[in-house]
Amino acid sequence: MRYKVFVEYLHLLKEIEIMKKHNFSSGPAILPLPVFEQAAEAVRDFNGMGLSILEISHRSPEFTAVMEEAKVLVRDLLKVPEGYAILFLQGGASSQFFMTAMNLLDQDATAGYIDTGSWSTKAIKEAEAFGTVRTLASSKPEHFTYIPKEYTIPTDLSYLHITTNNTIYGTQFKELPETEVPMVGDMSSEIFSKPVDVSRFDLIYAGAQKNLGPAGATLVIVREEALSKVKRHIPTMLDYRTHIKKDSAFNTPPVFPIYVSMLTLRWIKANGGIAAMQQKNAAKAELIYREIDRNPLFRGTVTDLVDRSTMNATFILADDKKDLNDEFLKLCKAANCSGVKGHRSVGGFRASMYNAMEIESVQALVQVMQSFERKFG
Ligand SMILES: *Cc1c(COP(=O)(O)O)cnc(C)c1O
């Protein structure tokens, strides 16, 4: 995909052509082109201030407006109900593994977890330091190739934790578990890709770098009444209440990742909002999975087809073609398809198709799969 931009170089305005690859990276991942353009411009000169976004105070009216707009857009796009705070924190989704338990799970209380992959496993391990953790269901014995469906959820849990989209294994909850227990959701790799009933959750978290912005910011949506219930001392920086009270600016927030996230949120809104994203993502997923199922040289890794992720499609070579992994990746590379190699713990291939990916990129990958079939079938 070629596109043209103007850059100022030694005081001359020069047109350059950039060759963009089809980017299937799982994260940090693709963002919309206009977002890259606006972000680059803001690094040079933010809103005509004669200053870069990187050199102004996080308490300046200009940056405060960015933070405010980002929060309004999150609230608007996800239809976040009253009573929930929206925060931009640091430490990645991985810090939320312990922060959620530290703030929501008392020493003598129990939380339930559904173990659907490496990220859930890590969340479980971290929560165990704070209270009783019950793994209510796990697809680990089957290498996380499906989302568990038959299990009982006790009613006396402080919360039920789920990883709604499993970035590494390519599975996704298509229905939320049926329970009255409030949930905590790791939505790092699906946030803003489809609607979500926020009212079912006490807390939602997402590292920005999958579907929202650059690495460095973590979005948290938390029901304020769920806080202040644990007895332990919580260090100031790890206490959600600190960041609610100070509007995510208790200390210096990650200004650039928040700014770029805000630009992405604007782009989502300008392009039809969450409903339009969902439709576009469904079309891309349909296209790749149809080829995976049709093409005799490939097979999908997810065993229960309803669980197939619309964000990360995982697939491997058919049993008799196993030694051709590198050949397929070579063809991908020649067709400018980048980031198709599967996670090191799963192998094979993974096509991550976040909001910013156009269907043309998925078509390009499908064509590579078809030429692979013609060459090696
Ligand atoms: C990437 C990812 C994480 C880890 O995010 P960090 O920001 O790197 O800590 C956690 N959960 C899910 C579902 C992810 O995709």
Side-chain angles (χ1 to χ4, degrees):
M1 197 173 18
R2 281 170 203 285
Y3 74 111
K4 289 186 169 139
V5 288
F6 286 95
V7 292
E8 204 182 290
Y9 179 69
L10 296 174
H11 303 293
L12 295 170
L13 207 55
K14 195 173 147 221
E15 191 186 62
I16 57 163
E17 198 176 67
I18 294 181
M19 177 71 204
K20 274 301 272 192
K21 291 191 172 156
H22 302 289
N23 183 9
F24 293 92
S25 170
S26 59
I30 185 172
L31 291 172
L33 275 179
V35 167
F36 285 132
E37 296 304 327
Q38 292 162 55
E41 178 53 30
V43 169
R44 285 189 289 267
D45 182 9
F46 179 48
N47 284 356
M49 285 176 80
L51 293 166
S52 165
I53 179 90
L54 303 181
E55 60 180 345
I56 61 168
S57 166
H58 57 291
R59 305 201 188 280
S60 62
E62 289 82 3
F63 185 74
T64 312
V66 168
M67 180 79 93
E68 191 51 36
E69 184 173 350
K71 286 197 289 191
V72 168
L73 284 164
V74 170
R75 200 172 281 286
D76 179 34
L77 289 167
L78 292 183
K79 300 189 170 59
V80 178
E82 290 291 307
Y84 284 78
I86 293 161
L87 305 172
F88 287 94
L89 305 180
Q90 305 193 52
S94 299
S95 292
Q96 295 305 311
F97 297 161
F98 66 82
M99 217 169 135
T100 46
M102 184 183 262
N103 283 264
L104 301 173
L105 177 60
D106 224 344
Q107 190 69 52
D108 53 8
T110 303
Y113 278 69
I114 311 295
D115 187 18
T116 53
S118 315
W119 299 118
S120 306
T121 308
K122 286 180 175 162
I124 291 167
K125 175 171 175 279
E126 294 302 310
E128 280 167 348
F130 300 99
T132 303
V133 170
R134 283 183 59 188
T135 301
L136 304 175
S138 173
S139 47
K140 193 171 201 153
E142 302 297 327
H143 307 288
F144 299 119
T145 49
Y146 67 98
I147 300 285
K149 290 171 195 76
E150 305 287 318
Y151 50 88
T152 322
I153 303 165
T155 52
D156 60 347
L157 300 173
S158 297
Y159 61 80
L160 172 70
H161 181 286
I162 60 171
T163 310
T164 55
N165 183 72
N166 296 279
T167 328
I168 296 173
Y169 299 92
T171 61
Q172 186 172 33
F173 279 84
K174 296 298 164 64
E175 310 255 350
L176 294 177
E178 265 180 59
T179 174
E180 297 289 303
V181 171
M183 290 191 281
V184 171
D186 176 357
M187 300 194 184
S188 295
S189 50
E190 69 158 44
I191 191 117
F192 303 113
S193 72
K194 60 182 181 129
V196 54
D197 182 357
V198 176
S199 72
R200 297 280 314 275
F201 292 85
D202 270 359
L203 194 145
I204 290 169
Y205 61 92
Q209 71 274 19
K210 308 279 166 57
N211 208 14
L212 180 59
T218 309
L219 174 65
V220 170
I221 303 171
V222 57
R223 194 169 68 85
E224 295 191 49
E225 278 188 359
L227 302 173
S228 302
K229 291 189 174 157
V230 294
K231 292 183 285 289
R232 72 175 59 85
H233 167 77
I234 302 172
T236 310
M237 270 296 284
L238 302 182
D239 190 330
Y240 293 115
R241 291 168 301 185
T242 305
H243 302 288
I244 294 173
K245 211 181 303 164
K246 298 290 180 182
D247 256 340
S248 299
F250 170 73
N251 68 328
T252 317
V255 288
F256 190 64
I258 293 171
Y259 175 66
V260 180
S261 298
M262 188 278 284
L263 293 176
T264 307
L265 293 165
R266 265 189 197 164
W267 176 87
I268 294 173
K269 187 168 173 168
N271 285 277
I274 302 294
M277 294 299 128
Q278 181 179 34
Q279 213 175 10
K280 179 175 160 187
N281 292 328
K284 288 180 286 178
E286 153 84 22
L287 185 60
I288 189 87
Y289 287 120
R290 203 193 314 139
E291 180 61 18
I292 290 170
D293 292 339
R294 185 209 62 79
N295 193 322
L297 274 67
F298 296 94
R299 64 185 179 82
T301 60
V302 176
T303 50
D304 198 346
L305 301 191
V306 297
D307 301 335
R308 282 175 158 179
S309 168
T310 55
M311 295 279 94
N312 316 94
T314 48
F315 53 104
I316 54 177
L317 289 173
D319 291 337
D320 57 331
K321 305 286 178 190
K322 280 270 188 280
D323 46 342
L324 294 173
N325 255 49
D326 288 347
E327 296 301 328
F328 180 64
L329 290 174
K330 261 188 238 163
L331 286 185
C332 288
K333 190 166 180 213
N336 281 317
C337 291
S338 163
V340 181
K341 194 171 181 206
H343 189 271
R344 59 189 184 280
S345 65
V346 182
F349 315 107
R350 169 173 53 175
S352 297
M353 307 169 290
Y354 299 115
N355 282 347
M357 174 167 281
E358 298 302 334
I359 198 153
E360 288 74 19
S361 290
V362 181
Q363 274 157 357
L365 180 59
V366 164
Q367 276 166 19
V368 177
M369 293 167 79
Q370 291 172 353
S371 42
F372 183 75
E373 180 190 10
R374 282 193 295 276
K375 201 164 169 195
F376 296 103

